[in-house]
Amino acid sequence: MRARLVVFPIKGKNWCFSRSIDLSTSESSAASTPSTVKELCKKISSNSKPLSANAELLVDFISNKMNKAWIGLEKAPEGSFKNKLHGLGLRLLARVKPSEILLKSITKDVTNVQITYPTSLNARHVRRRLRQIALRGTVLHRKYFYGSVSLLPLTTAFTVLPLPNIPFFWVLFRTYSHWRALQGSEKLVQLVSDYSLVQKSIILSGKGNESEHNDSKCGTKNSPSSQWVLEPSKELEDLINRGHEENYLSEQAISDICNSFSLNKNDVLKCRDLV
């Protein structure tokens, strides 16, 4: 499966890295996840996959249940306790860094990435910065994952209270989130790094500077064995130029980019506001 990553400057020297939304992929993934404990046990007992695959299935099952519970909180009546919990959750989620959202979107099913960027950026610089995000993610999210796991036993003490154990569920969510980001960062490092002579880069453009031209010589255009594709976009460049205000992109420009490249606007705005 190919993942499309869109890269562009959003505020000063800071760049936005975001993955295009693929509704068909998310729907098929949700459909393959068991919906009940009985179905989960039946699927685990009937297949002959290794323990790691069954653990992945269990994590997907728990994630699916958490998503359904979150949707239930979102639909709660205004002013109710569930509605207030949803508001608290939104404030906590607003603290999640955009890089973590990007890394979590790189699932195990991704076999290659298409990196779209404005024509004014250097291809090597784009890939290098993306690889730095992935390498940094392997270190940070491994540390945060183990830290979150160590907090889980402590938060179970709040179960004696007559209220929902919010600290436990939040730490459980952060444990899951860091684990997903760690898996995604390791996968992204594998995809955008040159580990062997088989690894290739492609630049889908008739024009480019000398360094881009040299990069393209490493592989064959549209080669199916390539794990990453660099694609300069004139459309993205034009949208950025039209919406550039002082030292950052306007909200209208961000909306146009999100509509053209199927990005999550809230995630992109977070990239601009957190830097």
Side-chain angles (χ1 to χ4, degrees), residues 6-230:
V6 182
V7 182
F8 56 94
I10 195 166
K11 187 177 182 181
K13 296 182 179 180
N14 296 291
W15 293 3
C16 173
F17 296 81
S18 185
R19 180 181 175 180
S20 296
I21 301 171
D22 190 347
L23 295 178
S24 60
T25 302
S26 59
E27 289 174 358
S28 62
S29 177
S32 62
T33 304
S35 58
T36 64
V37 177
K38 184 177 180 180
E39 291 179 3
L40 175 66
C41 295
K42 184 178 180 180
K43 194 165 185 177
I44 291 178
S45 60
S46 62
N47 63 34
S48 57
K49 294 181 179 180
L51 182 61
S52 58
N54 290 331
E56 186 83 18
L57 186 63
L58 176 62
V59 170
D60 290 340
F61 174 78
I62 296 174
S63 173
N64 193 34
K65 290 296 183 182
M66 292 172 66
N67 288 335
K68 289 181 178 179
W70 177 255
I71 293 173
L73 293 177
E74 188 177 5
K75 295 180 179 179
E78 187 72 26
S80 64
F81 180 71
K82 288 185 176 181
N83 179 258
K84 293 179 180 178
L85 280 180
H86 181 257
L88 174 62
L90 289 177
R91 289 192 293 273
L92 291 173
L93 288 174
R95 301 169 59 184
V96 177
K97 293 183 178 181
S99 60
E100 180 178 333
I101 298 173
L102 169 70
L103 295 173
K104 285 168 60 178
S105 69
I106 308 299
T107 62
K108 63 182 184 298
D109 301 321
V110 176
T111 56
N112 53 66
V113 290
Q114 174 183 334
I115 308 168
T116 302
Y117 61 97
T119 54
S120 60
L121 298 182
N122 180 274
R124 286 186 177 181
H125 195 193
V126 170
R127 187 177 76 99
R128 184 164 59 246
R129 290 191 64 166
L130 185 61
R131 185 170 179 270
Q132 287 173 352
I133 290 177
L135 288 172
R136 187 165 57 247
T138 60
V139 177
L140 290 178
H141 293 292
R142 180 177 286 107
K143 179 180 68 175
Y144 291 145
F145 169 71
Y146 289 133
S148 298
V149 169
S150 65
L151 289 176
L152 282 173
L154 300 177
T155 55
T156 55
F158 292 97
T159 55
V160 299
L161 299 177
L163 297 173
N165 193 345
I166 298 176
F168 171 78
F169 287 108
W170 173 250
V171 174
L172 179 63
F173 167 74
R174 294 305 293 146
T175 302
Y176 164 79
S177 186
H178 288 307
W179 181 75
R180 281 295 191 195
L182 175 60
Q183 298 293 311
S185 60
E186 292 175 344
K187 183 69 175 180
L188 189 57
V189 169
Q190 175 188 349
L191 292 173
V192 301
S193 297
D194 295 315
Y195 284 124
S196 66
L197 294 176
V198 179
Q199 185 72 20
K200 301 177 178 70
S201 69
I202 307 171
I203 299 180
L204 301 179
S205 174
K207 298 180 180 180
N209 56 32
E210 185 63 26
S211 62
E212 294 171 346
H213 179 68
N214 292 336
D215 282 348
S216 64
K217 290 181 180 178
C218 299
T220 305
K221 189 172 181 179
N222 293 330
S223 170
S225 63
S226 297
Q227 292 184 339
W228 48 275
V229 177
L230 289 166

